[in-house]
Amino acid sequence: MNTTVPHTDILTIQLAIAAVLLPFVACLLNLFLVKGQSKVSGWLSTLAILGSFVLSALVFSKVWNQPALHVQQLWFTVGTIPVNVGIWLNNLSVLMLLLVTAVALPVHIYSIAYLKGDDKYTRYFAYLGFFCFAMLALVIVDSLVLLYAFWELVGFASYLLIGFWFIREKAVLANKKAFIMNRIGDVGLLIGILLIYSHYHTFDLITLFGDHNILSSIPADKTWLTFTGICLLMGAIAKSAQFPLHTWLPDAMEGPTSVSALIHAATMVAAGIFLLGRVYPLFTPDVLTIIAVVGCFTAFMAATIALTQNDLKRILAYSTISQLGFMMLAMGVGAYSSALLHLAAHAFFKCLLFLSAGVIIHEMQHLKEKHNLDIDPQDINNMGGLGKFMPVTFITCIIASLSLIGFPLTSGCLSKDGIMVQAFLWADGKGWIYTLIPVTAVITSLLTIFYISRLLFKVFLGKPRITQPVEAHDGSLLFKAPMVFLALCSLFPLFSSNPFEYEQSWIYKGFAIAVHIVGSLDYHTIVLLSVNVLAIPIVFLTYRAYVKQKVSFKTGLLFKISYNEWHIDWFYHRIIVKGVLYVGAIVLWLDKNIFDGIIHLFANIGVIIGKLTAWTDKYIIDGLLAVLTSIIKQAGNFVRGFQTGRVQNYLLTMLLIIVVIYVLKTFI
Amino acid sequence: MSMLTYLLLIGAGLFCIGLYIVLVKRNAIQVLIGIELILNAAILNLVAFGKYDKLYNGGQTFALFAIVLAGAASAVALAIILNVYKQYKTIDPNAVDQLKD
Amino acid sequence: MNILSLLIFLPILFGALVIVLPEGLRYIYRYITLLATLLQLGLSVWLYIAFKNGVNYGGVANEGQYQFVEKIHWIALNLGSMGKMQIDYFVGVDGISIMLLLMSSVVMVIAALASWEINKNHKGYFALFLLLDMAITGVFCSLDFFLFYIFYELMLLPLYFLIGIWGAARREYAAIKFFLFTLFGSVFMLLVMVGLYFSVKDPATGAHTFNIIQMMNPANYDKDSLFGFIGQHMLLGLPARSVGFIVLFVAFAIKIPVVPLHTWLPDAHVEAPTPISIILAGVLLKVGGYGMIRICFGIFPEVATSYAFWIGLLGMISILYGAFNALAQRDLKRMIAYSSVSHMGFVLLGIASQTTEGVSGAMMQMISHGFLSSMLFFLVGVIYYRVHDRDVYSFRGLGTLMPKYTVFIMIAFFASLGLPGFSAFIAEAFSLIGAFNAGSILPTWIAIGGSVGILLSAGYFLWTLQRMFFGETKLKGGEVWKLALVDISNREMLVLVPLSLLTLALGIMPSLVFVKINDSVLAFVQFIHLNN
């Protein structure tokens, strides 16, 4: 522990640690001590999160716009290299701390009612607590290794929660997809972290990215920096569901809606943006441009897809992807503070949208069971006219939608306008191709207006599309209170005293750089006016299309492309997944026939040599012996021939020998 | 050529004829005749060289011995041939080859 | 009595007891074996606690720094004109061996507990098991090459029978393939060993020696000897030292295993009975890694440096190749076997990087994988024991049928794919850090290729989870299987809970391992860089 840190700061750090650990304690208690369906688990977790929220607020008040706090302790040593665990509390950390707990609290309260009666009730709250712990830890750690560790754990928590109802086939396919796609990003993140370590030999975030960081003082090779930046960016792209690693998010909607609200709208997906915020000094201008392009493209693409989807949660999922694209765009064009402002604003209104979606789906499910209908409770084509039955839900939804559109007087206006204005300022004087980006952002805004109005009109207004009488109502207080709270947070007073000047927002001021850029045009008013003025005809158009049903958009190539989500998922499934499996099959073939084949070849050669040797032994070596014996046998047979048994032969032989001897003796 | 040479030649001639008969003939009695001829050739030789022993007449004496012995041998040989005939029903020496290998 | 000698020979005493007891008491053999392994575990834990740390206990190339040493003149023959033959019984541990000893003791206990399912020829099985135990412990402790070789070969014999008699359908094929393949490697190692013997002189006695530590010191080599540094003999067109290194590398690469010398592993692991698979994957593969560090890199460090690129490349290829193969498998046990190939690739990559982080990561990976693969094979064995089927496609929705089992499977799978909080994350991260840091010998793309391995491992493990455990319950064997698939019994809990706790403990407190190995790893890396 740093001994030069004053006492109050140590207390703050301890409060922060407590804020992070409370949900984990609740998780452990729920896993091991509380019985399966007991209601205690819900209240226990909620209490823990409330405690976290209070502590986070305290920590926030101590650290916001104050000097950052940092403590570090040795975790383990590898050789002579120390690996430390530590806490770094700066503006970004405490804002995220507060934000996550502020959104998690209403979701916990909502979940108590939403998952009532589920036989894995306790398990749900255990997982939720684990997620909160991992997410909160992610935002306060000071080392890249720990960042990576909690990043993965957040992904793991998401896996558990998406697949919470693991009997459903779609849910388990979705969580597998989510984890694997996130892993792709994780590989990039890991490579980036290790590359940084190989150059600077430290994992410490403060040394690398803090106020007087290494990156500014030691010049590094541009290409290597760009490559590392792209690797880190990959992690953010996967976690924040940007193109091309975005297809897991719509499928992740298979999880409970409260999970979608917390994780896949407000917090986990924002972790990617948080990462970009943390490692921001690393990015070279090239990487920043790439970030901007990725964000802008994703925003546009997701908005076009959201136009035609029929599943309520899917529309919201694509909306999330689109808004995250905006945040990424903001990071890319240098609007660091606006990105974080939008992150905060988005967390509240998107969470709210999801929670209301949960209530709506709940009611549709009741209707389905009551009248025994064969409908999909999440399909907006089956809804309609619910506004008059569920006024609270309706009004909160409107507020959230207005914030999403960026209507004046909401938080979204502040953040979104800020992003677009700064995008224009960034593109100013850079060439026409750069201007495409802010222009696309504006178009995406308009598309956002369209799809969200479509959603509102189809769900809440007009006549109900089911023929049976519709009975629906708002949820209990446990449903309503969180939603109202979030709705209030979506209005401007929480963020800024001035509803139109985003620079006045306290979040913005917490991160802003002192330099104030002046553009060639007064973008403030242009953007504000253009978006809001154009909003009116768009809303009117959607009203005519979906309420009055006088206009139809169902046909056309663009519709088909949008409806099929640009065929990206099809591409991934058919080409990439099947490609990888095909490589696996080839490698297996290689293993069985070539590598093992060589071994079997050697084995067979051995056997053949053995047989050859046996043959040689039997026929050649033994054969020689046989030849020898036959020669002797034949010699013997020949000599035997002399014993004819005939006396006269014997006599003749004797005579011949005597003659021969006589001749030999006389003449030799 | 002296008388001796003539006698020796006749003796050699008799010997060769006798040897030929012994070796070639297929009848055991004829072989016996051959043997007699050989013996007689040897006796003739003896008598021929008896000329040089006028004191004791060794040649003539030895010849008489030899003739007696030849006669005895013939008797025995005939006895053998008779037994062989009894056993093998033939007197062809080539037919009696039980001692062959 | 030296504690290492006690540790080594304890199992064989119990083995003798098993042989002597009559056949009728067949169920007592399990308990005797369990007792033996537990005693060994106790001794290992004591060794772990009593093991001293600090710069003076680095070991590796410094004979005086080894701990619990016992050196007895074993074979000392006077060969007249050829000098004196000196073979010592030389055992000792340093940081590199101590953790492997502890891990192998734990794995042996697990394997003993898993041996409950053996149902024929109990006496033979447990006697061979204890013989194997002795051989493995001996390998990790010996510091005399001859002694090392004896134990190394002694490991093969019981394994051949254990796989060939108590294994599954293709057991004879697998046993003979394993035996001949491994023997092929070690036979050439014998030649190098003898060559080294004749090249090295013990400074103390002046005789040739098999002492591994003496072989690491260039000063001990005769000037004109085969493996001498100055003479630079050539053998088959390459310097003799390179040939020696390559031969030793091949011998240990077959054990680790390194692609393409790995094809014995899937067959051996799959056909062996569960406890033997646990020993094979948990301990035997580490013998290869240990031999690679201690002997191959220790005796020929300069050759290792010049070939570092190729070794690193082989490591990366093993990681990716093993992972791709695992993706294509339907047999669960075969998939886990190939994932072992993939994980051991990290070990090779870490060693090849010759950095502190890399070698530490490699050692940690050996220990972590020892526990995790034991857990994985045990879990597969649970299912196989109940229904005799290991095909992933035969099962669906086991999560609802066997919830506790599913929890352990999830722990094992997520730990294996490197989820932070478990040991494999630290191990793989540091192996990769080492690879990234070895900029002078390994290009960055090798390290990047290795990192992609973690993506692929997520692929096959998660696919298996989704396919076998989640979704609606549907079994190939229908109702008969539903009845057979009971959840985990107490004995199985006794195995799985400690393993889970161990891997969690190592993930959260890696210092448990690092504190013991740091000095030796540092000494090892310094030694390699010094003798470059």
Side-chain angles (χ1 to χ4, degrees), chain A residues 92-411:
Chain A
L92 182 58
S93 321
V94 295
L95 175 67
M96 292 298 294
L97 209 58
L98 188 60
L99 182 69
V100 170
T101 45
V103 176
L105 183 58
V107 169
H108 269 81
I109 299 176
Y110 181 95
S111 300
I112 294 178
Y114 191 70
L115 276 136
K116 194 168 66 168
D118 193 303
D119 63 337
K120 292 199 180 44
Y121 192 73
T122 315
R123 190 83 75 81
Y124 172 83
F125 280 102
Y127 290 164
L128 209 61
F130 180 71
F131 168 78
C132 293
F133 158 68
M135 187 74 207
L136 291 170
L138 177 67
V139 301
I140 63 172
V141 289
D142 77 333
S143 119
L144 281 171
V145 172
L146 285 170
L147 186 92
Y148 180 83
F150 284 110
W151 179 274
E152 285 242 24
L153 284 177
V154 163
F156 177 61
S158 160
Y159 174 86
L160 290 172
L161 282 163
I162 296 174
F164 179 67
W165 289 311
F166 63 79
I167 307 224
R168 276 162 135 188
E169 190 64 28
K170 276 201 184 156
V172 289
L173 286 170
N175 75 355
K176 175 180 74 169
K177 184 177 185 179
F179 196 86
I180 292 181
M181 284 192 119
N182 267 292
R183 257 282 150 125
I184 298 177
D186 291 347
V187 171
L189 181 60
L190 184 66
I191 293 175
I193 292 177
L194 297 182
L195 279 171
I196 293 178
Y197 181 78
S198 70
H199 277 255
Y200 296 113
H201 299 288
T202 175
F203 290 116
D204 192 28
L205 286 173
I206 297 181
T207 326
L208 290 166
F209 307 116
D211 280 329
H212 306 284
N213 57 53
I214 295 188
L215 286 157
S216 48
S217 48
I218 303 180
D221 173 28
K222 218 49 178 340
T223 29
W224 168 82
L225 258 182
T226 310
F227 182 70
T228 312
I230 294 178
C231 285
L232 290 171
L233 177 63
M234 266 183 75
I237 286 180
K239 194 65 90 181
S240 295
Q242 300 296 290
F243 179 84
L245 297 170
H246 65 281
T247 52
W248 64 272
L249 190 57
D251 287 353
M253 299 295 119
E254 291 294 327
T257 311
S258 42
V259 166
S260 307
L262 180 61
I263 301 188
H264 302 124
T267 44
M268 185 182 97
V269 291
I273 310 295
F274 166 76
L275 176 72
L276 292 182
R278 268 285 199 242
V279 303
Y280 201 69
L282 182 80
F283 297 129
T284 59
D286 291 327
V287 180
L288 286 173
T289 316
I290 296 177
I291 295 178
V293 168
V294 168
C296 181
F297 178 75
T298 311
F300 175 71
M301 178 196 78
T304 56
I305 298 178
L307 293 175
T308 55
Q309 297 302 308
N310 288 323
D311 184 315
L312 179 57
K313 284 175 80 172
R314 233 173 157 80
I315 298 176
L316 293 175
Y318 276 106
S319 172
T320 310
I321 297 177
S322 188
Q323 296 304 305
L324 288 164
F326 265 101
M327 290 179 224
M328 206 163 252
L329 167 65
M331 282 283 180
V333 301
Y336 185 90
S337 352
S338 274
L340 293 168
L341 178 58
H342 195 50
L343 194 154
H346 175 265
F348 289 117
F349 64 70
K350 194 44 74 62
C351 184
L352 172 56
L353 277 171
F354 270 105
L355 291 184
S356 13
V359 175
I360 296 168
I361 294 171
H362 214 132
E363 293 303 309
M364 291 299 292
Q365 185 72 24
H366 283 322
L367 271 176
K368 174 180 173 172
E369 277 154 14
K370 202 162 103 173
H371 298 294
N372 237 320
L373 299 164
D374 184 22
I375 54 166
D376 178 10
Q378 293 182 281
D379 192 335
I380 58 175
N381 286 323
N382 298 321
M383 304 174 195
L386 292 172
K388 52 184 182 290
F389 298 104
M390 311 160 86
V392 174
T393 314
F394 185 35
I395 296 178
T396 50
C397 236
I398 290 183
I399 298 176
S401 307
L402 288 174
S403 197
L404 174 62
I405 296 175
F407 198 77
L409 298 181
T410 59
S411 59

Side-chain angles (χ1 to χ4, degrees), chain A residues 75 79 166 176 591 596 600, chain C residues 173 177 262 321 338 466 471 518:
Chain A
W75 184 16
F166 63 79
K176 175 180 74 169
D591 206 52
D596 227 12
H600 286 151
Chain C
Y173 167 75
K177 191 173 183 183
H262 66 286
Y321 185 90
Y338 275 111
Q466 178 250 313
N518 274 340

Side-chain angles (χ1 to χ4, degrees), chain C residues 284-506:
Chain C
L284 237 77
L285 304 186
K286 309 342 181 245
V287 169
Y290 170 77
M292 186 72 74
I293 294 179
R294 173 81 75 212
I295 295 179
C296 197
F297 274 61
I299 300 183
F300 296 106
E302 79 287 356
V303 189
T305 312
S306 55
Y307 285 138
F309 169 76
W310 298 105
I311 301 177
L313 184 66
L314 277 175
M316 177 190 99
I317 291 177
S318 292
I319 296 176
L320 294 174
Y321 185 90
F324 271 115
N325 253 312
L327 260 174
Q329 298 299 331
R330 294 174 57 134
D331 181 337
L332 190 59
K333 209 166 178 187
R334 227 179 162 80
M335 176 195 292
I336 296 176
Y338 275 111
S339 87
S340 287
V341 175
S342 185
H343 288 140
M344 291 306 283
F346 279 101
V347 173
L348 193 63
L349 187 60
I351 297 176
S353 72
Q354 296 181 5
T355 55
T356 323
E357 302 94 333
V359 179
S360 302
M363 295 236 34
M364 183 73 178
Q365 173 77 330
M366 284 202 273
I367 294 162
S368 150
H369 182 259
F371 294 137
L372 283 172
S373 65
S374 309
M375 197 169 169
L376 283 168
F377 278 108
F378 186 81
L379 286 166
V380 174
V382 164
I383 287 260
Y384 188 72
Y385 186 51
R386 286 164 175 53
V387 291
H388 288 290
D389 190 333
R390 290 186 304 249
D391 193 10
V392 170
Y393 288 104
S394 307
F395 302 91
R396 266 217 104 107
L398 282 176
T400 25
L401 207 53
M402 303 167 77
K404 281 195 271 189
Y405 179 73
T406 310
V407 167
F408 283 112
I409 280 270
M410 284 184 78
I411 294 176
F413 279 0
F414 275 102
S416 293
L417 61 83
L419 190 71
F422 294 106
S423 46
F425 165 64
I426 309 270
E428 288 172 3
F430 276 93
S431 303
L432 290 171
I433 290 175
F436 271 99
N437 263 359
S440 48
I441 37 180
L442 290 178
T444 323
W445 60 265
I446 286 191
I448 292 181
S451 313
V452 175
I454 65 173
L455 171 63
L456 294 169
S457 55
Y460 53 81
F461 279 133
L462 288 182
W463 173 76
T464 310
L465 258 183
Q466 178 250 313
R467 201 69 190 45
M468 271 180 91
F469 292 92
F470 297 142
E472 294 269 344
T473 307
K474 232 188 317 205
L475 301 168
K476 186 165 134 195
E479 282 307 314
V480 178
W481 276 18
K482 250 196 197 150
L483 290 172
L485 285 168
V486 288
D487 213 348
I488 305 200
S489 67
N490 285 333
R491 174 183 66 93
E492 289 157 353
M493 276 291 225
L494 209 58
V495 167
L496 292 169
V497 169
L499 280 174
S500 315
L501 288 174
L502 269 170
T503 172
L504 193 64
L506 287 182

